[in-house]
Structures are given as C-alpha cells and as structure tokens.
Amino acid sequence: MKKILITGGAGFIGSHVVRLFVNKYPDYHIYNLDKLTYAGNLENLLDIENKPNYTFVKGDIVDDEFIQKLFSEHIFDGVIHLAAESHVDRSISNPMEFIFTNIVGTVNLLNAAKFNWKDNMDKKLFYHISTDEVYGSLGDTGYFTEETPYDPHSPYSASKASSDHLVRAYHDTFGLPVVISNCSNNYGPNQFPEKLLPLFIHNIRNNKPLPVYGKGENVRDWLFVEDHANAIDLIFHQGKVGETYNIGGNNEWKNIDLIMLLCKIMDKKLGREPGTSKKLITYVKDRAGHDLRYAIDSSKLQRELGWSPSLQFEEGLGITVDWYLSHQQWLDSVTSGDYQKYYEAQYVKRER
Ligand code: NAD
Ligand code: DAU
C-alpha cells in the first residue's frame, strides 16, 4: 500500500484533495498532516474520517524535529504539500507567520524528504502546491504562463515564491523529484469566510456591509475547487518530474461584476426583492499593494495531461451559494471566537 502525505488537508483545498484521494485510491493510505490553525477544520472531512485508508496527524510543519520523526516513522511514497498561511490581508498585518509556515515549513519537509528518500528517490514525488500570485500582476491583457518571471508583491505571494524557488533548488541541487503547480483563485464549499466569496455570502445573508476594496476593478480568474483537486490528482500521477503546471479557470471576473452577480443569485435564493443585496456594497480603503489582474494560461496542462475545468462558472457559483446557505452551523462555528476580533481589526477601521 502506498503511503501519501498530504499537508494542510483540513483546510479549504486540502480537504477536497484528501477526500478525492481517500475515495478514489483505496490502495493508498492517506496521511493528512495539519496544525489546525484557524483555517483548518476537521469538520471538513467528517464523511471520510473513519475510512480505513485515512489517518489524521496533528502537527506543525515548522517543527523540524517533529517532521523528521514523522518521516522516519513512515516511509512515504509521495508528498502533496498544501499547508500554508493563505490569506493576503493577514500577510500584510502579520508577515512572520507566512515566513515561518510557507518558507521554513516547506524547507523542513524538503529536508525530511531528501534525507529519508536518498536511497530510492526515483520512486518518490514531492508535489508542491502554489499560486498564480507568484507571477505578480497583469495589465489589461496577457496571461501568466509557466515561463512568466516571478514578481510577487505581497508577503504572502513573496513567501510562496520563495518556497517555489526552494523546491526547484532541491530538485536541481539534490535531485529531489519534485513537481509544482500554480493555480488561480479557487471557490467552493469549505473556504474560510475571510476570502471574498464566502465572506460576501455570509455578509449578504446577515445583512452586513460588503467591503469592496478600492473601486472593485481588480480581476481574478476563478476555478471551482474540485476542478483544482482533479488537476492535482492528474499532475501527481502523470506530471513530469521537475516541471511546473499552471492551473486556471479561463474565467476572469472584475470583482465588482462578480459581486453584482453574487448579489443577484443571493436575492433569488433568499427570496428577497431583486436589488436588495447590492445595497450592502460599501467601497472601503484598497488593499496595500493590491494586484490588478491575474489570468492563467493553462494550455500546457490541457495539452500535455488532458485536463480541463468541468463546471461552468454560474453552475459552480450556484452550488457554492447553496452549500454555504445549507451549512449555517459550519459558518457559525468558524465565525465565532477569534474571527470576530479578526473582522474588527480588518474592516472596522477600513471604512472610508
Ligand atoms: P487554507 O488557509 O484554507 O488552508 C491551509 C491549511 O494549512 C489549514 O488547514 C491549516 O491548518 C494548515 N496549516 C497552516 N499552517 C500550518 C503549519 N504550520 N503546519 C501544518 N499545517 C498548517 O488554504 P487553501 O486556500 O486551502 O490553500 C491551500 C494551498 O493552496 C496553499 O498552499 C495556497 O497557497 C495554495 N493555493 C490556494 C489558492 C486559493 O484560491 N485558495 C489558489 C492557489 C493556490
Ligand atoms: O490567485 C490565487 C490566490 O487567490 C491564492 O493564492 C490565495 O491563497 C487566495 O486567498 C486568493 O487570493 P486573493 O487575494 O485573490 O483572494 P481574496 O478572496 O482575498 O480576494 C479576491 C479579490 O477580492 C481581491 O482582488 C481582493 C478583493 N476583496 C477581498 C476581500 C476579502 C475585496 O474587495 N474585499 C474583501 O473583503
């Protein structure tokens, strides 16, 4: 039985990847290593937690001794590394967490893999999950390809860029078999409501202001989270060692247009008079260093591995809204306690 270590599996994307692998590969044993920060939630995995091929391990990738011990106790065949601090706004208010987890944590995993895999590297794979934000910001035209030079602007994207460079350095210097993918904005069930879509769904439902940064003119390329998980499955099994693959939805939306569409969908789903939710839109101070536009060219992944997104955006958005509306208890539990303090610090002083 192959042993696969998935880090960050209790988070948003990680939980979809863990579920996919546990259900699709009964001959793999999936170890989900997660620190359970504010963003990690084992409720995301209730449906698979008792499966015989699944084990949860609570731990911190920054803890070098713990990581070395874990790798010496289990002979992992592969690592899919998703654990990270992932929210740009938090990286602006507290960069150090991002440096520790995203950079030091990644190097701890690379060191453990390098040391424990030295005798049979050719049968192993270290798969690092990254973001399109490492490429910086686009103007009105063009796309990020795998050749686009790195130009990160936030502490989050700079920490992810740094981890990408280190992963490549371990391949080039030590021969560690690695693969990297850089994906655009994900949406779907189980995303922590600090990110645009779940936050705005939650606020519309509770008649709270919708804080649009700047003029709402920034553009993001949205991909349904299960399509990202399917791409990760494909790249893990068929990707070429040493290569990078871009993953994107070919689905660009200006923030304000997306928010208008969401308001329309929410009015309908909540049985409100058309035009009710958009009255909640409140323009607030822009995010510092706010990247204008992200857009991914995923033609390499489509051409070489035959991947394509499965869902039309309006269908995916409808599924997502339905999920949050029918999981009020999930939202209530993740938005109690510390969330309130975060929300106040992030938004109350931001109104202009
Ligand atoms: P998330 O914040 O929802 O989840 C991160 C998970 O990592 C949480 O379960 C958290 O508990 C865990 N974690 C954090 N620090 C840890 C540590 N020190 N040790 C162990 N576990 C720790 O993030 P997400 O949105 O699911 O993103 C997952 C990965 O995908 C990240 O690497 C992110 O950079 C990348 N990514 C995200 C998106 C997106 O749109 N969300 C797009 C492209 C790439
Ligand atoms: O592109 C991939 C990245 O997408 C991932 O690497 C990150 O982990 C993920 O968080 C996401 O980053 P963004 O900064 O694009 O996502 P966020 O949901 O925070 O914001 C989306 C856009 O909406 C962005 O232009 C900022 C804007 N925004 C966001 C929030 C939270 C607002 O206008 N108001 C808000 O309250």
Side-chain angles (χ1 to χ4, degrees):
M1 199 176 213
K2 278 194 171 179
K3 287 187 174 188
I4 311 295
L5 178 69
I6 299 182
T7 70
F12 168 46
I13 301 170
S15 60
H16 290 273
V17 176
V18 166
R19 175 176 302 103
L20 177 69
F21 273 66
V22 166
N23 287 331
K24 188 168 171 185
Y25 301 107
D27 54 333
Y28 290 179
H29 197 106
I30 303 301
Y31 291 82
N32 170 15
L33 165 62
D34 200 295
K35 182 182 173 184
L36 299 182
T37 66
Y38 76 93
N41 187 346
L42 289 177
E43 276 185 46
N44 295 346
L45 292 166
L46 287 178
D47 55 323
I48 56 117
E49 70 181 1
N50 293 321
K51 295 257 178 171
N53 64 333
Y54 172 71
T55 302
F56 174 68
V57 183
K58 187 170 186 310
D60 185 347
I61 58 169
V62 180
D63 182 346
D64 182 29
E65 254 177 60
F66 164 78
I67 293 296
Q68 287 292 350
K69 190 161 170 275
L70 184 71
F71 272 72
S72 64
E73 284 170 0
H74 299 279
I75 302 168
F76 294 120
D77 296 283
V79 173
I80 306 179
H81 175 37
L82 295 110
E85 287 293 333
S86 69
H87 190 38
V88 174
D89 293 321
R90 287 185 191 254
S91 83
I92 296 168
S93 44
N94 184 11
M96 284 317 286
E97 283 295 322
F98 289 70
I99 306 308
F100 288 128
T101 290
N102 298 0
I103 306 178
V104 177
T106 300
V107 176
N108 285 339
L109 290 165
L110 289 167
N111 281 335
K114 170 177 163 277
F115 181 76
N116 287 281
W117 292 354
K118 57 182 178 299
D119 297 327
N120 52 353
M121 287 240 196
D122 54 323
K123 295 200 175 59
K124 312 285 190 181
L125 185 65
F126 189 103
Y127 180 5
H128 179 61
I129 307 298
S130 193
T131 170
D132 61 357
E133 300 202 10
V134 298
Y135 298 123
S137 182
L138 292 164
D140 290 337
T141 57
Y143 295 91
F144 296 135
T145 72
E146 289 80 2
E147 274 73 50
T148 303
Y150 276 28
D151 183 23
H153 297 131
S154 71
Y156 163 67
S157 54
S159 69
K160 290 296 290 187
S162 176
S163 64
D164 291 11
H165 289 315
L166 285 156
V167 170
R168 288 197 185 95
Y170 272 62
H171 174 256
D172 296 348
T173 308
F174 305 116
L176 194 73
V178 307
V179 70
I180 299 180
S181 59
N182 297 79
C183 188
S184 64
N185 287 62
N186 284 216
Y187 70 96
N190 297 123
Q191 188 170 30
F192 192 79
E194 62 188 352
K195 309 278 167 66
L196 182 75
L197 280 170
L199 175 69
F200 278 35
I201 294 170
H202 183 60
N203 284 10
I204 292 172
R205 185 184 174 121
N206 295 299
N207 281 309
K208 285 173 68 180
L210 305 178
V212 178
Y213 295 168
K215 294 182 181 157
E217 283 176 347
N218 305 69
V219 175
R220 297 292 182 265
D221 171 1
W222 295 92
L223 179 70
F224 191 60
V225 62
E226 287 181 11
D227 281 328
H228 188 188
N230 287 330
I232 289 173
D233 177 18
L234 205 57
I235 293 167
F236 182 71
H237 289 98
Q238 292 175 40
K240 267 201 215 137
V241 168
E243 292 285 317
T244 296
Y245 297 89
N246 278 357
I247 311 171
N250 198 18
N251 177 40
E252 287 179 54
W253 284 81
K254 207 179 254 193
N255 288 344
I256 193 63
D257 296 340
L258 173 61
I259 292 160
M260 288 295 187
L261 173 65
L262 179 69
C263 287
K264 209 166 124 193
I265 294 176
M266 291 288 288
D267 282 344
K268 219 171 177 179
K269 303 252 184 210
L270 295 171
R272 293 180 180 168
E273 196 64 31
T276 309
S277 300
K278 71 177 185 197
K279 291 190 191 130
L280 297 168
I281 291 175
T282 312
Y283 290 92
V284 299
K285 192 164 166 258
D286 207 354
R287 173 185 279 173
H290 198 172
D291 289 332
L292 178 66
R293 174 171 167 257
Y294 303 145
I296 276 275
D297 175 350
S298 64
S299 55
K300 175 178 175 183
L301 179 63
Q302 307 212 14
R303 195 178 54 248
E304 293 186 8
L305 304 188
W307 174 86
S308 60
S310 68
L311 275 190
Q312 291 299 315
F313 188 50
E314 294 214 10
E315 187 189 354
L317 200 52
I319 294 172
T320 303
V321 169
D322 285 341
W323 188 88
Y324 287 97
L325 292 181
S326 62
H327 287 76
Q328 194 53 44
Q329 200 208 326
W330 184 92
L331 272 170
D332 288 343
S333 78
V334 300
T335 54
S336 58
D338 278 352
Y339 178 85
Q340 303 298 343
K341 280 185 234 148
Y342 162 79
Y343 198 82
E344 269 169 42
Q346 187 61 37
Y347 291 105
V348 170
K349 290 198 193 93
R350 198 168 189 139
E351 284 164 28
R352 33 172 218 200

